[in-house]
């Protein structure tokens, strides 16, 4: 299926590893001109090679790597200067941790809000008006099912993902009658960089093999999961590519859950 993304410019935050890298590779394979961003030049260079190699030779999209901290106002300014116009904005940048509620400090709350919420709101503020002027664009927030079913050991993280849903829905209302859409994708637990360290932090025995820690995690922490396994980043990337496509024009203001449970769609 041709997703008709050839020539579209897509900016993906948190794009040097995990979900963001998988999304960047998938969009490049569809012919999009992909802008990846990160704080480490070495990781950017490696990611750029992987994204370029994922592109099909017949479309040969342009791949750009911008050294910037997308979680900061300074980094957003760098991005806007280097890439003043984008057709597709994928707000994927995010951090997480498991922590008892009473141990979550003010600094913890602020840090997760700054990275997970404010970064995406700031970039949307930069690029959304131009999309409306051109009457076409896609803003996609990579939220989490934790925004709907907040884990008791990750309340601050869940809060940030619920906030993303609020921003996404509010922006979608502003697109009424245009060719711009704003949606959120809500993955369940996903295999990504650092997931083993996370599993160790919640495991009864951090010395267990990774596959046993994963099974224990779903048995004890995510018993309601229908998949009972980690989602692969490429599975999320496939959905993002469709939502970014002109073929998804009727999908707007939606919260699309990837885990396999309820999929609430708000239109």
């Amino acid at each position: 299926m041709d997703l008709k993304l050839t020539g579209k410019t897509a900016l993906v935050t948190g794009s040097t590893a995990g979900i963001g890298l998988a999304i960047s590779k998938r969009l490049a394979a569809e012919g999009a001109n992909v802008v990846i961003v990160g704080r480490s030049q070495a990781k950017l260079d490696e990611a750029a090679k992987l994204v370029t190699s994922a592109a099909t030779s017949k479309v040969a999209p342009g791949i750009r790597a911008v050294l910037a901290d997308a979680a900061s106002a300074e980094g957003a300014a760098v991005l806007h200067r280097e890439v003043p116009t984008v057709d597709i904005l994928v707000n994927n940048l995010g951090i997480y941790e498991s922590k008892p509620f009473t141990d979550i400090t003010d600094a913890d709350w602020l840090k997760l809000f700054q990275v997970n919420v404010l970064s995406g709101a700031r970039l949307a503020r930069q690029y959304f008006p131009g999309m409306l002027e051109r009457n076409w664009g896609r803003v996609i927030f990579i939220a989490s099912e934790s925004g709907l079913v907040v884990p008791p050991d990750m309340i601050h993280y869940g809060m940030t993902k619920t906030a993303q849903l609020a921003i996404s829905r509010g922006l979608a209302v502003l697109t009424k009658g245009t060719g711009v859409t704003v949606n959120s994708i809500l993955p369940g637990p996903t295999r990504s960089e650092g997931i083993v360290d996370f599993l160790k932090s919640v495991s009864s025995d951090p010395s267990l093999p990774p596959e046993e820690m994963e099974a224990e995690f779903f048995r004890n922490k995510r018993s309601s999961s229908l998949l009972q396994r980690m989602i692969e980043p490429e599975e999320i990337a496939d959905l993002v590519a469709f939502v970014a496509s002109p073929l998804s024009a009727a999908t707007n203001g939606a919260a699309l859950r990837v885990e396999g449970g309820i999929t609430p769609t708000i239109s």
Side-chain angles (χ1 to χ4, degrees):
M1 177 185 294
D2 179 8
L3 294 181
K4 303 185 185 303
L5 288 172
T6 300
K8 300 292 187 185
T9 298
L11 169 61
V12 184
T13 65
S15 41
T16 59
I19 295 171
L21 178 57
I23 292 170
S24 300
K25 291 166 65 176
R26 185 70 173 87
L27 293 177
E30 290 294 331
N33 300 310
V34 180
V35 181
I36 61 174
V37 56
R39 296 177 299 170
S40 164
Q41 188 64 59
K43 293 188 70 173
L44 268 175
D45 291 343
E46 181 60 28
K49 292 178 183 178
L50 294 172
V51 175
T52 300
S53 66
T56 56
S57 57
K58 65 179 180 179
V59 293
I63 308 300
R64 291 191 61 186
V66 178
L67 183 66
D69 180 3
S72 70
E74 295 78 12
V78 170
L79 279 171
H80 200 216
R81 183 176 66 248
E82 295 292 323
V83 191
T85 301
V86 300
D87 301 301
I88 301 159
L89 171 62
V90 183
N91 286 314
N92 168 72
L93 180 64
I95 56 176
Y96 60 92
E97 66 177 348
S98 174
K99 204 167 195 179
F101 175 73
T102 53
D103 291 344
I104 303 173
T105 65
D106 288 359
D108 294 331
W109 285 101
L110 291 170
K111 180 180 180 181
L112 264 70
F113 186 84
Q114 170 80 16
V115 176
N116 294 2
V117 181
L118 191 52
S119 65
R122 187 184 287 120
L123 290 176
R125 187 173 65 216
Q126 290 185 171
Y127 293 114
F128 184 68
M131 294 178 184
L132 293 178
E133 290 174 8
R134 296 187 300 276
N135 198 36
W136 199 91
R138 299 286 184 264
V139 179
I140 303 170
F141 288 84
I142 306 302
S144 167
E145 65 171 10
S146 295
L148 297 176
V149 184
V150 179
D153 60 333
M154 301 174 70
I155 292 175
H156 53 337
Y157 173 74
M159 174 275 297
T160 66
K161 294 304 172 178
T162 304
Q164 286 183 318
L165 301 183
I167 296 170
S168 176
R169 174 58 185 171
L171 287 177
V173 174
L174 298 177
T175 70
K176 189 174 182 179
T178 75
V180 180
T181 66
V182 185
N183 294 289
S184 292
I185 293 176
L186 285 64
T190 303
R191 197 178 314 283
S192 59
E193 188 177 56
I195 194 63
V196 173
D197 288 338
F198 171 75
L199 290 174
K200 286 180 178 179
S201 74
V202 297
S203 175
S204 64
D205 182 1
S207 67
L208 289 172
E211 60 272 15
E212 292 185 27
M213 284 193 291
E214 180 176 331
E216 180 190 63
F217 172 76
F218 281 96
R219 185 169 58 250
N220 298 336
K221 302 288 187 179
R222 297 293 187 275
S223 60
S224 63
S225 166
L226 303 183
L227 293 180
Q228 288 294 294
R229 65 167 175 83
M230 293 287 176
I231 299 170
E232 300 299 331
E234 292 75 16
E235 294 174 306
I236 299 170
D238 287 340
L239 179 56
V240 171
F242 173 73
V243 174
S245 165
L247 303 184
S248 71
T251 305
N252 194 18
L256 305 171
R257 190 170 174 184
V258 190
E259 212 286 321
I262 58 170
T263 304
T265 301
I266 311 164
S267 59

